[in-house]
Amino acid sequence: MNPRQVADYMFNQDYFSQWMNIKMIEVKENYCLIEMPIKKDMINGLKTVHGGVTFAFADSALAFSSNNTGDAAVALNCIINFTKAGKEGDVFRAESILVNDTRKTAVYDIKITNQNNELIAKFVGTVYKIGKKVTEL
């Protein structure tokens, strides 16, 4: 399978990403660009996007980029910095780029922006390569 086919295979089993209405914009080896509309049930008590939603969106980008070679990897450590509050009606984009790759781990930078290309959050995710194929899980 090519990277897009692996990401689509994962997405078809990922009911949480489906619930978030994530759309795959671009998928290449160790890279993805995804998009998500912000809906009412993603808003917190301060009328902004719940931080957990933003984190989960970035985590989905990490999953689709770090597994799309077909070799399974799981999150080992993730750090997020929130830079701007999102609002209902926004459209978030997450771009995941591989920055370091070793035999057992890899590090990805993920930038989350809104429809105006304003930075919403910066996420760094480290994954652990578990030694299995995505299709074996």
Side-chain angles (χ1 to χ4, degrees):
M1 288 194 286
N2 67 38
R4 179 59 187 242
Q5 290 169 324
V6 174
D8 287 342
Y9 172 86
M10 291 178 62
F11 184 79
N12 288 335
Q13 302 175 97
D14 184 345
Y15 300 108
F16 190 73
S17 290
Q18 291 175 36
W19 173 82
M20 290 193 295
N21 291 322
I22 289 176
K23 291 181 181 66
M24 303 263 186
I25 306 301
E26 184 178 1
V27 178
K28 312 186 271 200
E29 188 171 314
N30 296 307
Y31 171 90
C32 80
L33 177 64
I34 60 176
E35 191 173 88
M36 172 184 74
I38 300 303
K39 49 190 180 175
K40 186 176 185 173
D41 51 356
M42 296 174 166
I43 302 301
N44 65 23
L46 299 177
K47 299 180 185 170
T48 61
V49 177
H50 192 286
V53 170
T54 305
F55 188 99
F57 181 53
D59 187 50
S60 288
L62 177 64
F64 297 134
S65 59
S66 66
N67 285 280
N68 71 28
T69 62
D71 297 317
V74 295
L76 187 61
N77 184 54
C78 300
I79 300 167
I80 192 166
N81 288 293
F82 300 100
T83 55
K84 182 175 178 63
K87 303 280 187 186
E88 183 180 354
D90 281 352
V91 177
F92 281 8
R93 278 191 161 205
E95 182 178 40
S96 180
I97 299 171
L98 175 68
V99 294
N100 188 56
D101 194 19
T102 70
R103 185 176 56 81
K104 292 302 281 179
T105 65
V107 178
Y108 289 79
D109 275 346
I110 296 158
K111 182 172 76 168
I112 300 167
T113 56
N114 65 13
Q115 67 280 358
N116 299 319
N117 206 32
E118 298 168 316
L119 185 66
I120 298 295
K122 183 73 169 36
F123 180 102
V124 178
T126 302
V127 296
Y128 177 75
K129 300 171 189 177
I130 64 173
K132 295 183 179 179
K133 295 292 183 187
V134 169
T135 55
E136 295 173 351
L137 302 174

